[in-house]
Amino acid sequence: MQKQKDKKILRKQSMKKKFLTVLLSVLLVSGFTNRSSRENPEEIISVRVDSVLSLMTLEEKIGQLNQLSYGSGWGPSIKVQVPDQYKKMIREGKIGSFLNATGAELTYELQKIAVTESRLKIPLLFGLDVIHGFRTTFPVPLAEASSWEPELVERSSKYQALEASSAGIHWTFAPMVDIARDPRWGRIVEGSGEDTYLGLTMAAARVRGFQGNLSDDNIIACAKHFAAYGGAEGGRDYNTVDIPERTLRDVYLPPFKSALDAGAETFMASFNEIDGVPSSGNRLLLTEILRNEWGFKGFVVSDWNSIGEMINHGFASDLKDAASISINAGLDMDMESRSFIANLAELVKEKKVSEETIDLSVKRILRIKFKFGLFDKPFKYCNKERETKNIMSQEVQNAALEVAKRSIVLLKNSNSLLPLKKDLSKIAVIGPLADSKQDPLGPWAAVGNPNDVVTIVEGIKKLVTPKTEVLFSKGCDIEDTSTDNFDDAVKTATESDVVILCIGERENMTGEANNRSTLDLPGVQQKLAEEIYKTGKPVVVILMNGRPLSIEWIDRNMSAIVEAWFLGIKSGDAIAEVLFGDYNPSGKLPVSFPRTVGQIPIYYNHKNTGRPGNERNRFTSKYLDLPLTPLYPFGFGLSYTNFEYSDLKLSSPEISDEQELAVSVNIKNTGNFDGEEVVQLYVQDLVGSVTRPVKELKRFKKIFLKKDEEQEVSFKISEKDLRFTGHEMTSISESGEFKVYVGTNSADVMESRFKLVKTISSSLK
Ligand code: BGC
């Protein structure tokens, strides 16, 4: 009896204590708000977070760490009839976030349950893969990187955020900032290619575009996949990554750090292991580097079931073990493995996970919910009118066209075949991608709709004069084995003045799990190209693909080649503008094109080796049956005009670690068109305490020059740009000699030299 009474009193006391805590925190919050809200919003958020946390049961805390996919499969769902099982879980506070629930209506329904029917009324966070657009599909990220225009990419992400936020989305699982040196890997299409500096520049641009200042129309960014996911052996997705920590730090991590510095509030752990440790249980990555070294304040979400997959990795014995490893390593939110929700309470009881560890993760998630304004305005993105107004608005579509044409790379243009005249009498548009509505969307196109796509045939028809006949013949399907329709294609080509041959890959030959063991044109497309070539007609090849392809024969034989990647809904318009010269192409490759698959890995910033490749010397690093060079080097891309580089100048032959070096060069437009050029600056550290790459991109600038115009372009670099990871795994630079290269691509450059003379040890700074 007495015991029961005591218990009652204790319960009352504890309720009173809780009530007082809330009251106190509310008072504190308002006091704080009045005093210093403008000075330190993070502190106010922290007080608010603590006040909510103090009210939560352990089960409710664990619920915040649980993310489920809405609907049956993966991919966006708008089904408004919320299944009972979700209703119950939301009411009980067992879900912190959904992915794949989209639309103002559905997100409203779900949010309403959370903020009116759950005990603590904590709002839900809605996430989705907005990789290159929500409904208005923009070019795939690899294509956007080909623009070498961070401001353009930022604008693209901003419009993508505007559309997604209008459909209830708070959070995108983007940017994907994985460096990819192996084009067999299907996910190369989602990133910015092979280079760390271009990659880190694009990473920051995308974060700025998505997140803005986290106010209305913005969505939260997520830098993924942390880390080195693109280093998969053999380019096979999900495969083991075996790279040394120095390569990890110098090549793969900088784009993540750059995303963080640009404000990325969330990170996603990758599927792969590095050096025996899967990322979802990797304390070095998730805690030591990300939080302790870099000071990350946001939260880390797992990849889809990546916690559960640690069992297959042979790193966890069962889901419970996996949950314990992950949360203790620093992972905060569980995407779809359901291991946290099923096991964390018991793990706390067993003292294998401390409640403080759980509190930390909950705080990080609540912090974002507060910072993003969800506690104050949980329905801010559930507005049907706003949804109708913003999705597929003319403004967003115009932006999609602008980005698309600036993402195109001209690879070949013999005898200035391009631009074409608009009044040709007959144009043959041939190939399986010429009139495809689906493929230009590319992989990961969210709710992109093939009916919105302008095909190449349609784009060309819009631009030519009324008297021009545009003939279309498919020739074959992308992966056809049959040549039955070749005759029609050849006949169509023979009747025409010029052939536009549209070949490449199906949109889902890249993207997750879509790896290839060859880079050849799929099916009988190569044969189709050979048949068309025999007609003797001038041929412009349009490539649509999500990775570099090995197209040596095409390069040798066809007059013009346009790399169009997957350009999104305005694909046909953008390509036509380039074909007919309404837009002079200005893109550059963000990745080297190998001659054959056997040349992989072939990336421009490789090491020199002790026996650098030399075609005249047998005992050097090379293949017997291939030239040393790729087909097209990193940074390569032509224009309809020509640019002449001259007068490379350095401000000084020597800099100290406190000084800047100015590097300038003169560029003249010597051709017949106005045009844009991406001026690229590379550096080589000639001798290091560890070996250094033969060249590394450090700066670039896209400039516009009218015909005959010239301009001096100058760049500044300093000691910071010359750092690398030394023996102690810290970032250092060393006194010594450097080469600086400036040019139109990574292979075609002018060069000079300078010295870094250090006075202060940079590792002490
Ligand atoms: C992918 C992630 C993606 C997630 C959610 C996973 O399979 O690896 O990049 O964000 O699914 O759709």
Side-chain angles (χ1 to χ4, degrees), residues 74-75 99-100 128-129 131 173-174 176 187 190 224-225 229 237-238 268 271 302-304 335 444 512:
W74 55 283
L99 71 150
N100 293 333
L128 183 75
D129 291 278
I131 306 298
F173 305 120
M176 190 279 223
R187 302 198 79 167
E190 283 175 69
K224 74 182 188 187
H225 307 81
Y229 182 39
D237 207 3
Y238 318 119
M268 182 186 288
F271 286 124
S302 75
D303 203 341
W304 184 292
M335 181 193 282
W444 288 112
E512 185 173 349

